[in-house]
């Protein structure tokens, strides 16, 4: 079955530590996205990529980094500069046409130890 | 720039009652509008989307939404609520460019009582 796989489902970060969230898709989509979800805040865009080797900052990119070396993969690193990383992180992908829907992974819950 | 406002962070209905979740949008270009549903600890699933083909859009699980340009609204309705409809619902908007990220509202939690 085609879809988006996020791993791990739960992740714990120690103070000063960088952690990487994985996102893989086999839908052959060009565009990929990372959103952060906090209770009552909706989904806020962290980074997005429209094509391999290119990505753009979203509304809350500070403290995060991404790479897009392969079409299928769009990992997100939460750096130690992100002082409030506890949240539910959602990865999504879409076809490269106007108005296309996003397909979402099942999310990663990141907590601070 | 686009934005979305969902009116009411929490809506409670009885089983069999009408469901109405409100969404107003702001967009400088003709918008694409979406409703997504999220069950606890899961990703988002598309309910329906508006792409200007018709103002009344029918989606999955008996949901529908009507685009009203004059009111800049895209409210979600279902004639008769089921217990399984209890979830969080998000309205989202995007502009006309390919690969443009969706802008989401803050969500409305729907509770259904028996």
């Amino acid at each position: 079955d085609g879809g988006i796989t996020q791993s791990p489902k739960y992740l714990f970060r120690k103070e000063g530590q960088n952690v990487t969230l994985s996102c893989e898709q086999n839908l052959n989509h060009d565009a990929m996205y990372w959103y952060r979800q906090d209770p009552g805040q909706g989904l806020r865009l962290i980074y997005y990529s429209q094509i391999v080797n290119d990505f753009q900052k979203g509304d809350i990119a500070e403290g995060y980094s991404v790479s897009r070396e392969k079409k299928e993969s769009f990992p997100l690193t939460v750096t130690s500069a992100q002082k409030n990383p506890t949240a539910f992180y959602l990865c999504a992908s879409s076809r490269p046409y106007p108005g296309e829907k996003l397909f979402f992974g099942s999310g990663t819950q990141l907590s601070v130890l | 720039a686009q934005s979305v406002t969902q009116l009411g962070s929490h809506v409670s209905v009885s089983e069999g009652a009408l469901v109405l979740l409100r969404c107003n949008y702001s967009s400088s270009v003709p918008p694409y509008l979406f409703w997504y549903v999220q069950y606890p600890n899961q990703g988002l699933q598309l309910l329906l989307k508006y792409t200007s083909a018709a103002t009344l859009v029918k989606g999955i699980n008996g949901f529908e939404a009507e685009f009203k340009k004059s009111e800049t609204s895209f409210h979600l309705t279902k004639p008769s609520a089921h217990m399984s409809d209890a979830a969080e619902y998000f309205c989202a908007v995007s502009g006309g460019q390919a690969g443009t990220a969706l802008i989401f509202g803050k969500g409305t939690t729907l509770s259904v009582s028996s």
Side-chain angles (χ1 to χ4, degrees):
Chain A
D1 287 339
I4 299 179
T5 301
Q6 289 188 242
S7 63
K9 190 168 181 62
Y10 300 97
L11 186 59
F12 297 90
R13 193 190 89 166
K14 296 179 181 178
E15 291 289 338
Q17 185 182 40
N18 294 351
V19 293
T20 298
L21 284 62
S22 171
C23 178
E24 303 276 337
Q25 55 100 355
N26 61 4
L27 299 167
N28 199 32
H29 286 167
D30 286 295
M32 297 188 74
Y33 314 82
W34 275 105
Y35 288 90
R36 170 177 170 146
Q37 184 177 15
D38 297 278
Q41 300 266 359
L43 277 70
R44 292 181 290 168
L45 182 65
I46 305 173
Y47 270 98
Y48 66 103
S49 169
Q50 296 177 333
I51 197 169
V52 174
N53 292 323
D54 188 40
F55 48 83
Q56 289 78 42
K57 293 182 179 179
D59 300 319
I60 57 165
E62 184 174 353
Y64 300 97
S65 66
V66 294
S67 63
R68 187 86 187 275
E69 298 176 359
K70 299 187 300 181
K71 187 176 185 177
E72 305 79 22
S73 178
F74 192 41
L76 174 73
T77 296
V78 183
T79 75
S80 57
Q82 173 49 246
K83 297 306 180 186
N84 184 23
T86 297
F88 191 57
Y89 291 86
L90 287 161
C91 179
S93 69
S94 73
R95 299 192 304 171
Y97 308 119
E100 282 292 319
K101 68 178 184 180
L102 269 57
F103 290 78
F104 282 86
S106 57
T108 293
Q109 175 63 51
L110 175 62
S111 302
V112 177
L113 287 175
Chain B
Q2 288 89 32
S3 67
V4 166
T5 300
Q6 291 186 240
L7 303 175
S9 59
H10 199 150
V11 171
S12 298
V13 300
S14 299
E15 194 171 21
L18 171 71
V19 175
L20 171 61
L21 304 181
R22 300 177 187 273
C23 173
N24 287 90
Y25 71 91
S26 173
S27 179
S28 55
V29 298
Y32 296 94
L33 293 160
F34 305 77
W35 275 100
Y36 280 84
V37 62
Q38 183 183 35
Y39 298 98
N41 298 316
Q42 294 186 23
L44 277 67
Q45 178 185 5
L46 181 71
L47 281 176
L48 50 83
K49 76 172 185 178
Y50 166 77
T51 58
S52 79
T55 57
L56 183 63
V57 183
K58 295 186 182 299
I60 62 172
N61 300 339
F63 284 93
E64 62 182 36
E66 186 173 8
F67 174 74
K68 292 187 177 180
K69 185 178 179 180
S70 61
E71 299 177 7
T72 61
S73 69
F74 190 58
H75 301 333
L76 182 71
T77 61
K78 182 174 181 178
S80 176
H82 295 167
M83 297 293 287
S84 60
D85 294 327
E88 190 160 21
Y89 293 80
F90 293 95
C91 183
V93 63
S94 78
Q97 292 182 314
T100 304
L102 299 190
I103 306 301
F104 286 85
K106 293 188 176 183
T108 298
T109 299
L110 175 66
S111 299
V112 182
S113 58
S114 58

